[in-house]
Amino acid sequence: MVENFERELMRGSLDLMVLSVLSDKSLYGYAIQKQIRDASRGQVKLPAGTLYPLLHRLEDERMIRSRWDDSTGRKRKWYDITASGRKQLASQVKQWTSYSQCVERLLNLVGLRPETA
């Protein structure tokens, strides 16, 4: 298994990752980081310096919205996906699936098969 993915490989999929973890529940920043890290089995470590500018951009683009809440005993900024964000997520899932299938076909064509985890 690859220890960590290269930055260039991940760069095009960070929006997809963040929108996907927000697709079923509201989360605050650290919880987003943790869910992505856990779901990727530690292969994707999204530092705060990358996550928060991404969240601000997604909010500016109206893909997500935020709200402050202190009901957990600590004031946190929670993020929710919007209807526009759900449309964008559906589009990105379709594109990513098509792209990854294309790459897999090309690798299989030349006899390069990824090792199973």
Side-chain angles (χ1 to χ4, degrees):
M1 182 186 315
V2 176
E3 196 167 307
N4 287 310
F5 297 117
E6 292 182 21
R7 278 187 184 165
E8 289 301 314
L9 183 60
M10 283 191 6
R11 186 170 295 171
S13 59
L14 291 176
D15 288 8
L16 174 65
M17 291 181 200
V18 170
L19 291 173
S20 68
V21 299
L22 291 173
S23 67
D24 67 338
K25 61 184 167 190
S26 301
L27 294 169
Y28 54 93
Y30 177 75
I32 293 170
Q33 288 175 302
K34 183 175 181 340
Q35 190 157 346
I36 290 172
R37 185 180 59 243
D38 292 350
S40 71
R41 297 182 186 151
Q43 289 182 286
V44 178
K45 296 177 179 94
L46 193 54
T50 301
L51 175 64
Y52 289 102
L54 183 131
L55 290 170
H56 293 145
R57 181 179 53 76
L58 289 173
E59 191 169 14
D60 288 344
E61 294 172 356
R62 294 189 164 90
M63 299 294 139
I64 63 173
R65 65 178 158 262
S66 65
R67 62 186 162 75
W68 288 99
D69 188 302
D70 60 1
S71 63
T72 61
R74 184 173 176 188
K75 190 172 184 180
R76 291 186 168 122
K77 194 172 191 179
W78 291 76
Y79 297 91
D80 297 286
I81 192 168
T82 63
S84 296
R86 288 188 189 285
K87 283 183 183 177
Q88 180 68 16
L89 176 59
S91 174
Q92 286 183 353
V93 166
K94 189 180 287 187
Q95 288 179 38
W96 181 257
T97 300
S98 181
Y99 177 76
S100 63
Q101 289 170 348
C102 175
V103 170
E104 190 171 332
R105 283 192 305 272
L106 290 169
L107 292 175
N108 287 332
L109 180 68
V110 296
L112 296 173
R113 290 183 172 53
E115 297 177 26
T116 56

